[in-house]
Amino acid sequence: MNKWLGKLAGTLLALTLSTGLAAAQSKITIAVGGGACLCYLPTVLAKQLGEYDKAGLAVELVDLKGGSDALKAVLGGSADVVSGYFDHCVNLAAKKQELQAFVVYDRYPGLVLVVSPKHTGEINSIKDLAGKKVGVSAPGSSTDFFLKYLLKKNGLDPAGTAVIGVGLGATAVAAMEQGQIDAAVMLDPAVTVLQGSYKDLKILSDTRTQHDTLAVFGGEYPGGALYSTAAWVNGHEKEVQALTNAIMATLAWIHSHSAEDIMAKMPDEIVGKDRAQYLAALKNTIPMYSETGKMDPKGAEAVLAVFSEGSPDVAKAGIDVTKTYTNKFVDQAKKTTGNAK
């Protein structure tokens, strides 16, 4: 009898501890602007590694078509945090909507302007995109911003090019292969997938490396980050710190493991059937991931400069770009975990 009671007590204790752990975990919903895109890999990998759980968070990832859709989810209240491109924080500041990035995981944007294999012969430069149909992940997303910036930089009126939402993954590849669009702004692994099938694939602009990013923007240009409304960040500092800790630990893990190790941790539905192509794309992308998690103030200024050039509303808004990000949570993570350099 005593033995049975001891077992029962042990079971009840285990249940109490697990219930207490669940209760202690804060529930957070992160809207991701296209989970299959390698630019957002750290957000997904953090969940696969259990880093959110370790940080005391019960995180739900909601996969959406593009960054603009993820942003709408947070502004509409159906998600807490966006895993998307920092440039949205700058763009929305012009509309008096305060958004704040608190951990940056992409040093470069990784955006690539690619010509459809069906239209290689007729498009040789960005100027040739006048009057053409160009795919982006979703209208209003960072891929769309990038396209408009390049068009204007090359003397074209962005309104003269038709923008078509095609997503970031298989749908974008299919649209390109079928010639439904003349070109597209894409991200890996989709770019590498196309390059694997079409050796003569024509690339008009590429920001997957520091060299190319500097050539396009004249400075480093931050890509993916976790951000939310300034009100949410200020009201949930414990959760923001936990999210930052989780991403920082994941970035440290990425830079201390091989591409093969990283791929092995990713969900099969994201890796897809062609593991060799995914691995090749991942190897191309790893240098893009931040080692510090911090926003480079010069990078933030570069984003503001790009948008000021392309948008009269941003140019005249008098935006204080320092309010669109904070490094204090990354600095705190560095003090407590030593993950940052």
Side-chain angles (χ1 to χ4, degrees):
M1 185 69 173
N2 285 342
K3 191 175 181 181
W4 180 83
L5 284 172
K7 281 186 177 179
L8 178 61
T11 302
L12 288 172
L13 178 62
L15 282 171
T16 302
L17 287 172
S18 62
T19 304
L21 182 62
Q25 283 194 319
S26 299
K27 292 184 178 179
I28 300 292
T29 302
I30 301 177
V32 186
C37 176
L38 285 170
C39 61
Y40 300 130
L41 177 142
T43 311
V44 179
L45 182 60
K47 190 168 181 69
Q48 296 298 110
L49 295 174
E51 291 296 345
Y52 297 128
D53 292 330
K54 291 176 195 172
L57 300 174
V59 167
E60 178 189 5
L61 300 180
V62 180
D63 191 11
L64 298 169
K65 188 177 179 182
S68 58
D69 291 342
L71 176 57
K72 286 173 190 171
V74 166
L75 294 178
S78 61
D80 302 304
V81 174
V82 176
S83 177
Y85 274 39
F86 165 70
D87 51 19
H88 286 287
C89 298
V90 176
N91 190 44
L92 267 291
K95 300 173 183 177
K96 306 303 179 187
Q97 289 182 292
E98 296 183 352
L99 297 166
Q100 194 171 61
F102 51 86
V103 59
V104 177
Y105 49 78
D106 291 336
R107 297 168 62 201
Y108 320 124
L111 299 158
V112 186
L113 179 55
V114 188
V115 178
S116 162
K118 297 274 189 183
H119 299 280
T120 297
E122 63 204 71
I123 298 174
N124 297 302
S125 70
I126 292 172
K127 289 183 182 294
D128 294 332
L129 295 179
K132 303 294 187 184
K133 292 184 291 185
V134 183
V136 298
S137 60
S141 288
S142 297
T143 48
D144 189 7
F145 295 151
F146 181 63
L147 173 64
K148 286 179 169 55
Y149 170 72
L150 289 179
L151 292 172
K152 189 154 187 178
K153 187 179 180 184
N154 284 271
L156 300 178
D157 179 0
T161 298
V163 174
I164 313 291
V166 294
L168 283 172
T171 53
V173 172
M176 289 284 274
E177 289 185 323
Q178 293 162 16
Q180 296 171 8
I181 48 180
D182 299 288
V185 177
M186 307 179 77
L187 290 132
D188 266 331
V191 180
T192 301
V193 167
L194 273 178
Q195 286 178 312
S197 302
Y198 304 93
K199 300 303 180 188
D200 60 344
L201 189 72
K202 191 173 289 182
I203 290 177
L204 302 179
S205 186
D206 193 336
T207 64
R208 288 178 290 182
T209 67
Q210 184 182 40
H211 176 269
D212 291 328
T213 300
L214 293 176
V216 172
F217 298 112
E220 288 203 4
Y221 194 95
L226 291 190
Y227 68 86
S228 188
T229 63
W232 193 89
V233 172
N234 292 331
H236 297 80
E237 290 203 352
K238 180 182 174 185
E239 290 83 359
V240 171
Q241 188 64 63
L243 285 169
T244 302
N245 292 351
I247 295 297
M248 294 289 288
T250 302
L251 291 173
W253 194 92
I254 287 171
H255 289 294
S256 60
H257 288 76
S258 67
E260 288 81 2
D261 291 337
I262 297 167
M263 183 173 74
K265 292 290 184 181
M266 294 298 287
D268 289 339
E269 62 270 22
I270 284 182
V271 174
K273 293 178 181 176
D274 195 331
R275 298 180 70 82
Q277 278 190 338
Y278 185 89
L279 184 63
L282 181 55
K283 287 179 178 178
N284 286 338
T285 306
I286 287 175
M288 191 174 95
Y289 300 131
S290 174
E291 294 185 29
T292 69
K294 295 185 76 166
M295 174 66 73
D296 178 353
K298 290 182 180 178
E301 289 287 352
V303 173
L304 177 59
V306 166
F307 275 79
S308 296
E309 186 175 310
S311 167
D313 290 341
V314 173
K316 66 186 181 185
I319 296 169
D320 180 356
V321 77
T322 63
K323 291 183 178 178
T324 61
Y325 66 90
T326 177
N327 281 324
K328 74 174 185 178
F329 297 101
V330 170
D331 289 337
Q332 184 59 35
K334 181 179 178 179
K335 289 176 189 173
T336 55
T337 67
N339 277 331
K341 288 186 179 181

